[in-house]
Amino acid sequence: MRRISLQTKILTLIISLVLFVTIVLTGIIAYIQSQQTERNIGQRALQVATTVSFMPTIKNAFELEDPAVVIQPIAEKIREMVGAEFIVVGNAQSIRYSHPDSYKLGKRMVGGDNGKALIDGQYYTSKAVGSLGPSLRGKAPIFNDEGEIIGLVSVGFMIEDIKTIVFDKLLKISGFSLLVILLGVIGGIALTRNIRKDTLGLEPHQIASLYRDRNAILLSIKEGITAIDKNGNITMMNDAAQEILGLSEDWTDRKIEDILPNTKMYDVLKTGKKEKDTEMILRDRVVIVNRTPIIENGEVVGVVASFRDKTEIKEMLDTLSEVRRYSEDLRAQTHEYTNKLYVLSGLLQLGHYSEAIALIQTESEINQYQNRVLIGQIKDRTVQAILLGKIGKASEKKVKFEIDQNSSLSALPKRIDMSSLITILGNLLDNAIEAVEYQEEKRVVFFATDVGKDIVFDISDNGPGIKEEHAKFIFNKGFSTKKNKEDRGYGLSIVQEVVEELQGEMEVHNQKDGGAVFSIFIPKELTIKESRYA
């Protein structure tokens, strides 16, 4: 189906509306003019008739034997002066003493509308068909000095002449009406062109489609997007921007500095230059901002800013780092067992069978113990894999890694995903292994249980422990007690964030005989209010 363009719709509507209004107004004006013209001519006829009826010469002529001799010339002269069709003066019996056609003198007046003047002595106007045709008449009685009605005066204008006058006026009105219609058409064309320019030549259905697509795109984008006009008023802000900025209401048409006092969007308005990947603080969050000018006809008319949370990017990179570390731990375990196999092979080739048997028995005892606890009591596969990797890493670093024989853990809820477990256990176990690096006896103990409402992880070491002055800062981003602090100090802060997202808690304290203990408590059942997994 072919769509009608917006320009055609508006132009048709304007022309139709102007035409309708013009025709209606023209009709109303024509009717008013017709009534007014008829009333004015009737009043003129009545005034002339009244004036003639009061003329002494006319009154005195009635006493003559042939009044027409005096009355006819006077009546015709007055008729020519006022432009009337006729001025007829008649006696009390309606016998004519004057008439435009002289041969009708002495004959009875025609029309049958003389009664009010001759009988009642009234002054009035009437319409009637006389000897000359339909006419509008003014009637005035003639009184003698005694107050008796001796005749009447009838002044008339032809109805056809009145219609001609009205028609002439209507032609003038129609001329103005056509001018109004023409101006309406010109204005309509100018308006439609201006609207088409404002809509960039797009039709309403195209604009509606773009609007729907725009909203869908803005909702699907996780980056915050905000646009302002050249006056700094907010014209658009998507849901992601409101979430990042912590806004709950619509800020459209408000000043951008009301929500971003340190905004640099005005700089882009002035320079018209893009700004890419600049860092700034928004609501205590580090974000990466891109600012792009909106240019129309070579002029900067606004700015669009997009920003993404750097914290989320950092967390994603940290998670990837933990997965990589997990993979490296598994490779370390494989490498450790490969080394032991090489040693065992060498002992057998050299004929040192007793040493080989002793090595096998030692490893067997260790594996039996670890496997009994790890496989028999730790049922969650992800935790098993993480522990196997860390056992290999600890063995490579000559650290005694123990799994508490009282540990018991069923399969964890699905909401505690692999990434979260790698982040929590991987960071804490790595920190514990690093903490005992310079100890004579290196020992790390892992304990886990899901008895009760919480899932509990305990990771202890026999390292130097946590100094009292450091206890308040160990969960702060960037804080580290290591000598090489480059890219350090993020592990514990990330662990805390993940634990909090799972609505859990983390505690840390020092042991009496030295070393630190980190305890994690994660509820089995998650409430809806704060979970990103709900």
Side-chain angles (χ1 to χ4, degrees):
M1 181 179 177
R2 187 173 180 271
R3 297 178 183 269
I4 301 174
S5 67
L6 177 63
Q7 188 173 10
T8 303
K9 288 180 180 178
I10 295 177
L11 192 59
T12 302
L13 176 63
I14 290 176
I15 292 175
S16 300
L17 185 61
V18 171
L19 189 62
F20 173 76
V21 172
T22 303
I23 290 174
V24 170
L25 289 178
T26 300
I28 294 173
I29 293 172
Y31 174 78
I32 295 173
Q33 285 290 333
S34 174
Q35 295 295 315
Q36 187 174 359
T37 300
E38 186 175 308
R39 186 166 55 252
N40 291 340
I41 291 177
Q43 290 297 323
R44 188 196 304 176
L46 182 59
Q47 288 174 0
V48 172
T50 301
T51 301
V52 172
S53 70
F54 281 103
M55 292 178 66
T57 304
I58 298 297
K59 290 182 180 182
N60 294 334
F62 273 79
E63 297 176 0
L64 300 175
E65 185 178 348
D66 186 7
V69 175
V70 176
I71 294 174
Q72 174 71 359
I74 295 172
E76 283 300 299
K77 187 173 182 180
I78 294 174
R79 181 182 71 82
E80 292 177 358
M81 290 175 62
V82 300
E85 187 67 26
F86 61 84
I87 295 179
V88 176
V89 179
N91 61 13
Q93 290 76 38
S94 298
I95 300 300
R96 299 187 184 102
Y97 291 153
S98 66
H99 195 278
D101 298 328
S102 57
Y103 66 89
K104 293 182 180 180
L105 296 176
K107 296 181 179 181
R108 182 177 290 277
M109 298 170 68
V110 179
D113 56 345
N114 295 338
K116 290 182 181 180
L118 294 175
I119 297 172
D120 301 326
Q122 294 182 14
Y123 298 86
Y124 59 94
T125 59
S126 68
K127 290 181 181 179
V129 179
S131 60
L132 298 177
S135 60
L136 178 63
R137 307 168 176 195
K139 301 283 187 174
I142 301 174
F143 296 90
N144 59 15
D145 294 338
E146 287 76 21
E148 297 174 347
I149 300 172
I150 58 176
L152 81 161
V153 179
S154 179
V155 179
F157 294 85
M158 302 305 294
I159 298 295
E160 195 65 33
D161 294 339
I162 296 174
K163 289 181 178 179
T164 301
I165 294 171
V166 173
F167 183 73
D168 291 340
K169 291 184 177 181
L170 186 60
L171 284 178
K172 293 180 180 179
I173 294 172
S174 299
F176 285 110
S177 300
L178 290 174
L179 180 61
V180 171
I181 293 173
L182 181 62
L183 292 175
V185 171
I186 295 173
I189 293 173
L191 177 62
T192 54
R193 287 182 176 177
N194 183 261
I195 292 175
R196 190 170 180 83
K197 179 182 177 183
D198 291 341
T199 59
L200 303 177
L202 297 175
E203 295 299 326
H205 68 276
Q206 294 174 314
I207 296 173
S209 178
L210 286 174
Y211 181 77
R212 289 192 298 269
D213 295 345
R214 166 186 173 273
N215 283 345
I217 291 170
L218 290 176
L219 286 173
S220 65
I221 294 175
K222 292 185 178 180
E223 290 189 359
I225 297 178
T226 303
I228 63 171
D229 58 19
K230 60 183 179 182
N231 298 318
N233 297 319
I234 299 172
T235 58
M236 184 274 297
M237 179 180 291
N238 69 346
D239 292 348
Q242 292 184 359
E243 183 178 351
I244 292 173
L245 296 173
L247 305 177
S248 58
E249 59 181 287
D250 186 10
W251 283 73
T252 305
D253 296 328
R254 304 273 290 275
K255 289 291 186 181
I256 185 66
E257 58 265 25
D258 291 342
I259 58 171
L260 297 176
N262 58 339
T263 182
K264 295 184 179 180
M265 296 176 76
Y266 284 110
D267 296 341
V268 180
L269 275 176
K270 293 178 181 178
T271 62
K273 295 181 180 179
K274 295 181 180 179
E275 293 184 359
K276 293 184 178 180
D277 298 330
T278 58
E279 286 192 15
M280 67 179 296
I281 305 296
L282 290 182
R283 305 286 173 132
D284 299 325
R285 306 179 76 172
V286 179
V287 295
I288 306 298
V289 183
N290 291 306
R291 304 180 186 90
T292 304
I294 303 172
I295 299 175
E296 184 177 331
N297 298 325
E299 180 185 357
V300 179
V301 296
V303 176
V304 175
S306 64
F307 43 90
R308 59 189 183 275
D309 193 345
K310 187 179 179 182
T311 306
E312 293 182 358
I313 298 174
K314 176 66 177 173
E315 289 177 354
M316 180 182 66
L317 293 175
D318 289 338
T319 301
L320 292 175
S321 177
E322 290 300 327
V323 173
R324 184 182 65 182
R325 190 182 305 173
Y326 169 55
S327 176
E328 290 174 351
D329 289 344
L330 292 178
R331 283 199 298 270
Q333 184 185 36
T334 304
H335 182 263
E336 178 68 11
Y337 277 101
T338 302
N339 289 337
K340 290 178 180 179
L341 287 175
Y342 286 147
V343 172
L344 182 61
S345 176
L347 290 173
L348 292 173
Q349 290 178 16
L350 294 172
H352 302 307
Y353 302 114
S354 58
E355 289 86 347
I357 292 171
L359 177 61
I360 292 172
Q361 288 177 343
T362 301
E363 290 297 322
S364 177
E365 290 175 0
I366 294 173
N367 287 334
Q368 284 179 0
Y369 171 77
Q370 290 181 339
N371 289 339
R372 179 174 60 80
V373 179
L374 182 62
I375 306 301
Q377 297 173 213
I378 306 293
K379 303 294 185 181
D380 188 84
R381 294 182 179 180
T382 303
V383 176
Q384 289 175 351
I386 294 171
L387 292 177
L388 281 172
K390 297 306 177 184
I391 288 171
K393 182 176 181 179
S395 177
E396 191 175 37
K397 292 182 175 292
K398 308 304 178 183
V399 175
K400 185 179 179 182
F401 189 98
E402 297 179 7
I403 302 176
D404 193 303
Q405 63 180 355
N406 295 317
S407 296
S408 63
L409 189 68
S410 302
L412 298 180
K414 291 183 179 180
R415 69 181 184 85
I416 307 177
D417 57 14
M418 179 183 290
S419 175
S420 298
L421 285 173
I422 292 173
T423 299
I424 296 171
L425 299 182
N427 274 288
L428 294 179
L429 289 171
D430 282 343
N431 287 348
I433 292 171
E434 288 182 10
V436 299
E437 183 177 0
Y438 301 105
Q439 298 298 112
E440 183 176 348
E441 180 187 356
K442 305 176 177 64
R443 183 167 54 87
V444 173
V445 179
F446 172 82
F447 171 78
T449 183
D450 56 0
V451 177
K453 296 182 179 181
D454 292 336
I455 298 164
V456 180
F457 296 110
D458 271 352
I459 297 167
S460 60
D461 61 68
N462 65 336
I466 299 172
K467 294 182 179 180
E468 186 176 350
E469 63 267 23
H470 295 160
K472 297 180 180 179
F473 307 106
I474 59 173
F475 296 114
N476 293 350
K477 287 184 179 180
F479 178 80
S480 176
T481 58
K482 304 295 188 298
K483 293 180 180 180
N484 181 14
K485 296 186 179 182
E486 186 177 356
D487 293 330
R488 304 301 296 264
Y490 293 97
L492 288 179
S493 66
I494 294 172
V495 171
Q496 187 180 45
E497 287 179 5
V498 175
V499 171
E500 288 177 352
E501 286 178 356
L502 296 173
Q503 293 189 1
E505 295 180 359
M506 181 163 61
E507 297 178 356
V508 58
H509 65 273
N510 290 323
Q511 301 182 89
K512 292 181 180 180
D513 54 351
V517 179
F518 285 83
S519 301
I520 307 296
F521 304 89
I522 302 174
K524 293 179 180 178
E525 295 184 2
L526 183 65
T527 56
I528 303 297
K529 60 180 181 178
E530 295 181 78
S531 174
R532 64 175 180 178
Y533 303 99

